Amino acid sequence: DAGVIQSPRHEVTEMGQEVTLRCKPISGHNSLFWYRQTMMRGLELLIYFNNNVPIDDSGMPEDRFSAKMPNASFSTLKIQPSEPRDSAVYFCASSLPGTGDRELFFGEGSRLTVL
Amino acid sequence: QKEVEQNSGPLSVPEGAIASLNCTYSDRGSQSFFWYRQYSGKSPELIMFIYSNGDKEDGRFTAQLNKASQYVSLLIRDSQPSDSATYLCAVLDNAGNMLTFGGGTRLMVKP
């Protein structure tokens, strides 16, 4: 299995530009999570989906952030307009349905720099 | 706000020693607890999970859970330089959906 695939791996953009991050979860996994990691705040959950449906987006920082999962094999996280404080590594993770032993499989991350 | 707290470190131990990593959590209803390892520039990977009070051993790793004290720890025996990484404690909510991570403890194992 190829694992969770994220693109782009690195993105450098200017303030005000739109940024779209993409994720392909592991086949058969029905839960998908978007996390953001910074030195100051650590790993923060932004939003997660079960069976393509957004369940909890309380971690999305503000209206500039949006996420979609049009089908079981693809999700996007969009930032519009981007700001320098959005600079971080964005991880996508997927998992099988489960309870006590839910293991998240992380992609390699998308490192975003907003100038 | 559900919180997971870890000492950021760095924790420095000599090769061959036992490394002890600690984590406390605020949600008393939490049922499952995870330890992830993250090498610099890489993504987190699961080491082990625990959901019963007491110890759980897997090779050189032992997870310890005390729900009454809301405390979970990870012991690494015979530490190796390759164990140098950031260790993230994570707590699963009651519904079994959301995993909240602590800030991580950076471990340095010196040869």
Side-chain angles (χ1 to χ4, degrees):
Chain A
D1 198 318
V4 177
I5 299 173
Q6 292 187 244
S7 64
R9 292 292 313 281
H10 302 274
E11 174 92 6
V12 180
T13 191
E14 293 188 345
M15 182 173 62
Q17 297 298 305
E18 177 179 296
V19 174
T20 299
L21 308 179
R22 298 173 177 81
C23 175
K24 176 179 168 56
I26 293 173
S27 177
H29 285 192
N30 73 333
S31 295
L32 183 140
F33 304 78
W34 282 101
Y35 283 87
R36 176 173 69 176
Q37 187 173 40
T38 61
M39 289 292 292
M40 290 297 295
R41 301 176 66 89
L43 201 58
E44 302 174 280
L45 178 64
L46 300 177
I47 185 172
Y48 77 94
F49 297 82
N50 275 351
N51 297 315
N52 313 338
V53 176
I55 302 301
D56 190 321
D57 65 354
S58 59
M60 296 285 261
E62 47 198 273
D63 291 345
R64 298 184 297 105
F65 285 69
S66 62
K68 294 181 180 179
M69 192 165 186
N71 57 61
S73 58
F74 184 67
S75 176
T76 59
L77 178 67
K78 186 175 293 187
I79 309 172
Q80 167 62 20
S82 59
E83 297 182 2
R85 59 191 168 127
D86 302 330
S87 298
V89 179
Y90 291 80
F91 285 105
C92 175
S94 69
S95 74
L96 289 165
T99 53
D101 60 349
R102 169 163 286 205
E103 176 178 0
L104 296 189
F105 293 83
F106 284 82
E108 293 185 313
S110 294
R111 180 175 294 276
L112 173 65
T113 302
V114 183
L115 302 175
Chain B
Q1 177 74 22
K2 298 174 183 176
E3 294 185 349
V4 181
E5 300 287 341
Q6 296 180 255
N7 188 317
S8 62
L11 172 65
S12 182
V13 300
E15 183 175 356
I18 295 175
S20 177
L21 306 161
N22 305 314
C23 172
T24 59
Y25 59 96
S26 63
D27 184 4
R28 187 171 287 279
S30 300
Q31 297 296 320
S32 300
F33 308 86
F34 301 76
W35 283 99
Y36 280 76
R37 177 177 61 200
Q38 186 176 25
Y39 291 112
S40 180
K42 302 295 185 182
S43 58
E45 55 182 351
L46 181 68
I47 298 174
M48 61 190 306
F49 66 90
I50 184 169
Y51 44 80
S52 298
N53 274 329
D55 295 359
K56 179 181 179 182
E57 187 174 317
D58 184 358
R60 295 187 297 113
F61 298 95
T62 299
Q64 299 175 318
L65 175 61
N66 184 325
K67 290 185 179 179
S69 300
Q70 296 176 240
Y71 178 91
V72 59
S73 64
L74 179 71
L75 302 178
I76 307 174
R77 289 182 300 282
D78 188 24
S79 296
Q80 301 297 309
S82 59
D83 295 325
S84 298
T86 295
Y87 289 79
L88 301 165
C89 172
V91 176
L92 191 64
D93 69 357
N94 253 343
N97 289 321
M98 291 174 53
L99 205 57
T100 300
F101 284 83
T105 298
R106 183 170 158 231
L107 173 66
M108 298 172 58
V109 181
K110 301 199 170 182

mmCIF file of all heavy atoms in Angstrom, chain A residues 73-99:
data_model
loop_
_atom_site.group_PDB
_atom_site.id
_atom_site.type_symbol
_atom_site.label_atom_id
_atom_site.label_comp_id
_atom_site.label_asym_id
_atom_site.label_seq_id
_atom_site.Cartn_x
_atom_site.Cartn_y
_atom_site.Cartn_z
ATOM 1 N N SER A 73 -11.517 8.772 -1.755
ATOM 2 C CA SER A 73 -10.088 8.700 -2.053
ATOM 3 C C SER A 73 -9.435 10.068 -2.240
ATOM 4 O O SER A 73 -8.305 10.165 -2.712
ATOM 5 C CB SER A 73 -9.864 7.856 -3.314
ATOM 6 O OG SER A 73 -10.556 8.405 -4.406
ATOM 7 N N PHE A 74 -10.132 11.130 -1.841
ATOM 8 C CA PHE A 74 -9.549 12.441 -2.094
ATOM 9 C C PHE A 74 -10.119 13.488 -1.145
ATOM 10 O O PHE A 74 -11.337 13.539 -0.907
ATOM 11 C CB PHE A 74 -9.836 12.855 -3.546
ATOM 12 C CG PHE A 74 -9.207 14.157 -3.958
ATOM 13 C CD1 PHE A 74 -7.834 14.273 -4.051
ATOM 14 C CD2 PHE A 74 -9.988 15.260 -4.250
ATOM 15 C CE1 PHE A 74 -7.246 15.472 -4.438
ATOM 16 C CE2 PHE A 74 -9.416 16.461 -4.640
ATOM 17 C CZ PHE A 74 -8.041 16.560 -4.738
ATOM 18 N N SER A 75 -9.217 14.336 -0.635
ATOM 19 C CA SER A 75 -9.649 15.448 0.204
ATOM 20 C C SER A 75 -8.764 16.651 -0.082
ATOM 21 O O SER A 75 -7.597 16.507 -0.467
ATOM 22 C CB SER A 75 -9.558 15.081 1.691
ATOM 23 O OG SER A 75 -9.899 16.184 2.516
ATOM 24 N N THR A 76 -9.331 17.832 0.099
ATOM 25 C CA THR A 76 -8.563 19.062 -0.061
ATOM 26 C C THR A 76 -8.742 19.954 1.158
ATOM 27 O O THR A 76 -9.793 19.941 1.818
ATOM 28 C CB THR A 76 -9.005 19.855 -1.302
ATOM 29 O OG1 THR A 76 -10.400 20.183 -1.185
ATOM 30 C CG2 THR A 76 -8.771 19.072 -2.577
ATOM 31 N N LEU A 77 -7.693 20.704 1.440
ATOM 32 C CA LEU A 77 -7.732 21.750 2.453
ATOM 33 C C LEU A 77 -7.332 23.038 1.752
ATOM 34 O O LEU A 77 -6.263 23.110 1.164
ATOM 35 C CB LEU A 77 -6.766 21.448 3.600
ATOM 36 C CG LEU A 77 -6.667 22.500 4.708
ATOM 37 C CD1 LEU A 77 -7.973 22.580 5.495
ATOM 38 C CD2 LEU A 77 -5.515 22.175 5.658
ATOM 39 N N LYS A 78 -8.212 24.020 1.802
ATOM 40 C CA LYS A 78 -7.975 25.260 1.075
ATOM 41 C C LYS A 78 -7.858 26.429 2.046
ATOM 42 O O LYS A 78 -8.618 26.518 3.027
ATOM 43 C CB LYS A 78 -9.111 25.499 0.080
ATOM 44 C CG LYS A 78 -8.918 26.691 -0.838
ATOM 45 C CD LYS A 78 -10.032 26.778 -1.867
ATOM 46 C CE LYS A 78 -9.976 25.635 -2.841
ATOM 47 N NZ LYS A 78 -10.957 25.777 -3.949
ATOM 48 N N ILE A 79 -6.925 27.305 1.760
ATOM 49 C CA ILE A 79 -6.757 28.530 2.545
ATOM 50 C C ILE A 79 -6.852 29.694 1.576
ATOM 51 O O ILE A 79 -6.098 29.786 0.612
ATOM 52 C CB ILE A 79 -5.387 28.574 3.267
ATOM 53 C CG1 ILE A 79 -5.142 27.291 4.062
ATOM 54 C CG2 ILE A 79 -5.332 29.787 4.197
ATOM 55 C CD1 ILE A 79 -3.741 27.181 4.631
ATOM 56 N N GLN A 80 -7.815 30.568 1.822
ATOM 57 C CA GLN A 80 -8.024 31.703 0.938
ATOM 58 C C GLN A 80 -8.640 32.863 1.698
ATOM 59 O O GLN A 80 -9.767 32.744 2.185
ATOM 60 C CB GLN A 80 -8.943 31.304 -0.230
ATOM 61 C CG GLN A 80 -9.496 32.448 -1.071
ATOM 62 C CD GLN A 80 -8.431 33.257 -1.786
ATOM 63 O OE1 GLN A 80 -7.306 32.799 -1.976
ATOM 64 N NE2 GLN A 80 -8.767 34.477 -2.163
ATOM 65 N N PRO A 81 -7.948 34.004 1.816
ATOM 66 C CA PRO A 81 -6.571 34.246 1.401
ATOM 67 C C PRO A 81 -5.577 33.774 2.455
ATOM 68 O O PRO A 81 -5.901 33.730 3.638
ATOM 69 C CB PRO A 81 -6.537 35.780 1.292
ATOM 70 C CG PRO A 81 -7.501 36.227 2.346
ATOM 71 C CD PRO A 81 -8.594 35.195 2.390
ATOM 72 N N SER A 82 -4.404 33.407 2.034
ATOM 73 C CA SER A 82 -3.394 32.931 2.978
ATOM 74 C C SER A 82 -2.710 34.105 3.676
ATOM 75 O O SER A 82 -2.642 35.224 3.144
ATOM 76 C CB SER A 82 -2.358 32.066 2.251
ATOM 77 O OG SER A 82 -1.724 32.805 1.214
ATOM 78 N N GLU A 83 -2.214 33.834 4.893
ATOM 79 C CA GLU A 83 -1.514 34.833 5.691
ATOM 80 C C GLU A 83 -0.219 34.208 6.226
ATOM 81 O O GLU A 83 -0.140 32.980 6.351
ATOM 82 C CB GLU A 83 -2.389 35.304 6.860
ATOM 83 C CG GLU A 83 -3.668 35.996 6.420
ATOM 84 C CD GLU A 83 -4.496 36.501 7.592
ATOM 85 O OE1 GLU A 83 -4.045 36.352 8.751
ATOM 86 O OE2 GLU A 83 -5.589 37.052 7.342
ATOM 87 N N PRO A 84 0.770 35.034 6.566
ATOM 88 C CA PRO A 84 2.044 34.490 7.077
ATOM 89 C C PRO A 84 1.858 33.571 8.281
ATOM 90 O O PRO A 84 2.590 32.589 8.431
ATOM 91 C CB PRO A 84 2.833 35.751 7.437
ATOM 92 C CG PRO A 84 2.351 36.779 6.456
ATOM 93 C CD PRO A 84 0.872 36.485 6.301
ATOM 94 N N ARG A 85 0.876 33.834 9.130
ATOM 95 C CA ARG A 85 0.667 32.996 10.311
ATOM 96 C C ARG A 85 0.120 31.608 9.978
ATOM 97 O O ARG A 85 0.024 30.756 10.867
ATOM 98 C CB ARG A 85 -0.289 33.674 11.302
ATOM 99 C CG ARG A 85 -1.664 33.984 10.751
ATOM 100 C CD ARG A 85 -2.406 34.889 11.725
ATOM 101 N NE ARG A 85 -3.612 35.438 11.110
ATOM 102 C CZ ARG A 85 -4.819 35.339 11.663
ATOM 103 N NH1 ARG A 85 -4.978 34.731 12.807
ATOM 104 N NH2 ARG A 85 -5.866 35.879 11.063
ATOM 105 N N ASP A 86 -0.233 31.398 8.716
ATOM 106 C CA ASP A 86 -0.667 30.059 8.278
ATOM 107 C C ASP A 86 0.515 29.150 7.975
ATOM 108 O O ASP A 86 0.333 27.958 7.699
ATOM 109 C CB ASP A 86 -1.547 30.163 7.031
ATOM 110 C CG ASP A 86 -2.778 31.027 7.251
ATOM 111 O OD1 ASP A 86 -3.271 31.081 8.393
ATOM 112 O OD2 ASP A 86 -3.235 31.652 6.276
ATOM 113 N N SER A 87 1.712 29.705 8.001
ATOM 114 C CA SER A 87 2.905 28.900 7.726
ATOM 115 C C SER A 87 3.029 27.779 8.746
ATOM 116 O O SER A 87 3.020 28.021 9.956
ATOM 117 C CB SER A 87 4.152 29.780 7.760
ATOM 118 O OG SER A 87 4.093 30.789 6.755
ATOM 119 N N ALA A 88 3.112 26.550 8.261
ATOM 120 C CA ALA A 88 3.113 25.379 9.133
ATOM 121 C C ALA A 88 3.311 24.148 8.253
ATOM 122 O O ALA A 88 3.359 24.239 7.026
ATOM 123 C CB ALA A 88 1.783 25.259 9.888
ATOM 124 N N VAL A 89 3.397 22.998 8.911
ATOM 125 C CA VAL A 89 3.325 21.726 8.183
ATOM 126 C C VAL A 89 1.908 21.187 8.378
ATOM 127 O O VAL A 89 1.431 21.072 9.517
ATOM 128 C CB VAL A 89 4.357 20.704 8.697
ATOM 129 C CG1 VAL A 89 4.218 19.397 7.912
ATOM 130 C CG2 VAL A 89 5.767 21.256 8.574
ATOM 131 N N TYR A 90 1.261 20.881 7.279
ATOM 132 C CA TYR A 90 -0.100 20.367 7.317
ATOM 133 C C TYR A 90 -0.054 18.865 7.027
ATOM 134 O O TYR A 90 0.441 18.435 5.993
ATOM 135 C CB TYR A 90 -0.979 21.094 6.303
ATOM 136 C CG TYR A 90 -1.226 22.534 6.698
ATOM 137 C CD1 TYR A 90 -0.271 23.521 6.456
ATOM 138 C CD2 TYR A 90 -2.398 22.901 7.351
ATOM 139 C CE1 TYR A 90 -0.475 24.832 6.850
ATOM 140 C CE2 TYR A 90 -2.623 24.212 7.748
ATOM 141 C CZ TYR A 90 -1.649 25.170 7.495
ATOM 142 O OH TYR A 90 -1.866 26.468 7.894
ATOM 143 N N PHE A 91 -0.562 18.095 7.976
ATOM 144 C CA PHE A 91 -0.574 16.642 7.830
ATOM 145 C C PHE A 91 -2.002 16.156 7.575
ATOM 146 O O PHE A 91 -2.952 16.624 8.198
ATOM 147 C CB PHE A 91 -0.072 15.959 9.107
ATOM 148 C CG PHE A 91 1.409 16.045 9.312
ATOM 149 C CD1 PHE A 91 1.944 16.910 10.252
ATOM 150 C CD2 PHE A 91 2.273 15.233 8.581
ATOM 151 C CE1 PHE A 91 3.308 16.986 10.464
ATOM 152 C CE2 PHE A 91 3.649 15.311 8.780
ATOM 153 C CZ PHE A 91 4.162 16.183 9.716
ATOM 154 N N CYS A 92 -2.093 15.215 6.694
ATOM 155 C CA CYS A 92 -3.322 14.464 6.498
ATOM 156 C C CYS A 92 -3.080 13.070 7.074
ATOM 157 O O CYS A 92 -1.973 12.523 6.956
ATOM 158 C CB CYS A 92 -3.645 14.382 5.008
ATOM 159 S SG CYS A 92 -5.067 13.369 4.589
ATOM 160 N N ALA A 93 -4.095 12.516 7.717
ATOM 161 C CA ALA A 93 -3.984 11.170 8.285
ATOM 162 C C ALA A 93 -5.278 10.419 8.026
ATOM 163 O O ALA A 93 -6.352 11.028 7.929
ATOM 164 C CB ALA A 93 -3.692 11.227 9.781
ATOM 165 N N SER A 94 -5.175 9.114 7.911
ATOM 166 C CA SER A 94 -6.390 8.318 7.739
ATOM 167 C C SER A 94 -6.373 7.133 8.683
ATOM 168 O O SER A 94 -5.313 6.753 9.207
ATOM 169 C CB SER A 94 -6.546 7.853 6.282
ATOM 170 O OG SER A 94 -5.570 6.890 5.927
ATOM 171 N N SER A 95 -7.541 6.571 8.918
ATOM 172 C CA SER A 95 -7.622 5.414 9.797
ATOM 173 C C SER A 95 -8.826 4.566 9.424
ATOM 174 O O SER A 95 -9.771 5.029 8.776
ATOM 175 C CB SER A 95 -7.721 5.841 11.266
ATOM 176 O OG SER A 95 -9.001 6.348 11.562
ATOM 177 N N LEU A 96 -8.773 3.314 9.887
ATOM 178 C CA LEU A 96 -9.920 2.436 9.773
ATOM 179 C C LEU A 96 -10.920 2.805 10.850
ATOM 180 O O LEU A 96 -10.552 3.432 11.850
ATOM 181 C CB LEU A 96 -9.478 0.981 9.954
ATOM 182 C CG LEU A 96 -8.661 0.383 8.817
ATOM 183 C CD1 LEU A 96 -7.978 -0.899 9.284
ATOM 184 C CD2 LEU A 96 -9.550 0.109 7.611
ATOM 185 N N PRO A 97 -12.174 2.430 10.705
ATOM 186 C CA PRO A 97 -13.116 2.661 11.795
ATOM 187 C C PRO A 97 -12.703 1.857 13.008
ATOM 188 O O PRO A 97 -12.172 0.765 12.887
ATOM 189 C CB PRO A 97 -14.452 2.153 11.220
ATOM 190 C CG PRO A 97 -14.076 1.227 10.128
ATOM 191 C CD PRO A 97 -12.796 1.758 9.558
ATOM 192 N N GLY A 98 -12.895 2.417 14.168
ATOM 193 C CA GLY A 98 -12.483 1.708 15.372
ATOM 194 C C GLY A 98 -12.696 2.567 16.582
ATOM 195 O O GLY A 98 -13.117 3.705 16.480
ATOM 196 N N THR A 99 -12.384 2.022 17.687
ATOM 197 C CA THR A 99 -12.563 2.764 18.933
ATOM 198 C C THR A 99 -11.261 2.812 19.717
ATOM 199 O O THR A 99 -10.442 3.691 19.516
ATOM 200 C CB THR A 99 -13.694 2.144 19.775
ATOM 201 O OG1 THR A 99 -13.421 0.748 19.935
ATOM 202 C CG2 THR A 99 -15.035 2.322 19.095
#
